[in-house]
Amino acid sequence: MLLKNKLGLDNEIELAKEEERITKLKAIELFENGKLEKFEVGTFQGLSQIHKSLFEDVYEFAGKIRKENISKGNFRFASVMYLEDALKKIDKMPQSSFEEIIEKYIEMNIAHPFREGNGRSTRIWLDMILKKEIGKVIDWSKVDKEDYLLAMERSPIKNIEIKILLQNALTDKINDRDVYMKGIDASYKYEGYNVYKAEDLKNN
Ligand SMILES: Nc1ncnc2c1ncn2[C@@H]1O[C@H](COP(=O)(O)OP(=O)(O)O)[C@@H](O)[C@H]1O
Ligand SMILES: [Mg+2]
């Protein structure tokens, strides 16, 4: 399904390529101009600022809470009906240890507040929390993409796999642009979302 975009593109592959190219440039800009450092750390407000910065030239919904219910694989992300409440609760979750931070990251992933681009923006958000609170970030080049996706799929049920995977990739290179950029690879994504209507849920 093709997302309505500001680029005037009506081809899914072209859009994916352009979106990846533009968001990477935006991510570099965000890092270089110091804007990222000014965003709130560990709240939806901060995540929304990151998402807006990356996607504002591509999608109208950049930085905005989604209005569609979405799922990936067998997993339904937070229902739009509960999304705002969930985000307020996530804002208040503690973030003083590695464990707490990953638990918060997992909840934010379950919320999946945006129509698209949750993976990239939430990984930056995670790194900003880790940086501020424990003086470390994830070296995403040390995280196998397939293992990461499996661990994320598993995380709503059991969080040990993602914790171990990310713990092993911690680095104190917190101001290294290359380390930061590794998390923004859109190729972490492997499929689109299914959009469903509330009525459909009654039938399955
Ligand atoms: N089945 C799943 N269950 C839970 N989380 C998932 C699942 N599949 C993917 N994810 C998470 O969602 C992210 C993809 O979200 P998406 O909105 O497509 O972001 P992006 O376009 O930046 O990759 C992945 O990086 C992973 O963290
Ligand atoms: Mg995606």
Side-chain angles (χ1 to χ4, degrees):
M1 205 200 73
L2 186 90
L3 283 173
K4 200 169 154 259
N5 61 84
K6 291 186 174 179
L7 306 172
L9 295 174
D10 53 13
N11 175 295
E12 212 172 329
I13 297 162
E14 258 178 71
L15 174 61
K17 274 195 199 153
E18 265 305 281
E19 189 221 66
E20 174 159 10
R21 190 182 66 80
I22 293 170
T23 51
K24 279 191 170 155
L25 290 174
K26 292 283 184 175
I28 293 173
E29 202 181 296
L30 202 53
F31 184 89
E32 295 290 341
N33 66 16
K35 249 175 90 180
L36 189 56
E37 296 291 328
K38 299 200 176 78
F39 295 165
E40 220 171 77
V41 180
T43 63
F44 172 68
Q45 156 88 358
L47 176 61
S48 158
Q49 289 173 309
I50 295 168
H51 191 272
K52 184 169 194 291
S53 306
L54 297 185
F55 293 97
E56 64 189 344
D57 290 350
V58 184
Y59 300 123
E60 214 65 66
F61 60 74
K64 294 183 190 151
I65 298 182
R66 64 182 155 82
K67 294 186 174 68
E68 300 83 7
N69 287 316
I70 57 174
S71 66
K72 229 171 209 180
N74 287 321
F75 191 69
R76 282 189 204 129
F77 297 101
S79 162
V80 168
M81 218 194 302
Y82 311 118
L83 189 48
E84 280 188 47
D85 278 348
L87 293 171
K88 281 184 197 136
K89 293 209 171 95
I90 296 168
D91 277 4
K92 295 194 191 105
M93 286 179 75
Q95 54 184 49
S96 57
S97 64
F98 175 78
E99 294 249 316
E100 285 180 351
I101 295 167
I102 301 305
E103 281 159 25
K104 192 163 182 168
Y105 172 62
I106 291 169
E107 290 306 319
M108 191 56 98
N109 183 61
I110 292 171
H112 241 61
F114 312 110
R115 179 64 185 80
E116 178 58 74
N118 295 280
R120 283 163 282 177
S121 49
T122 311
R123 282 191 295 275
I124 297 179
W125 181 78
L126 167 65
D127 272 332
M128 296 310 289
I129 308 177
L130 289 169
K131 180 175 172 176
K132 180 181 173 203
E133 304 291 345
I134 63 170
K136 290 185 191 293
V137 292
I138 309 289
D139 180 348
W140 294 97
S141 69
K142 295 215 177 76
V143 181
D144 179 87
K145 288 183 186 176
E146 218 166 294
D147 290 351
Y148 164 77
L149 273 172
L150 286 171
M152 288 306 289
E153 282 179 21
R154 180 96 170 125
S155 66
I157 302 159
K158 214 167 184 297
N159 63 26
I160 188 73
E161 289 154 33
I162 191 69
K163 276 184 181 164
I164 291 172
L165 200 66
L166 298 183
Q167 174 103 56
N168 289 336
L170 283 175
T171 172
D172 45 25
K173 287 194 262 172
I174 55 173
N175 292 314
D176 185 315
R177 197 179 92 175
D178 292 338
V179 169
Y180 156 81
M181 284 301 292
K182 289 282 190 237
I184 300 156
D185 242 325
S187 48
Y188 274 96
K189 91 178 157 192
Y190 65 123
E191 59 173 346
Y193 291 104
N194 302 309
V195 177
Y196 64 89
K197 296 199 186 83
E199 303 93 83
D200 296 342
L201 298 182
K202 292 173 197 144
N203 305 323
N204 60 39

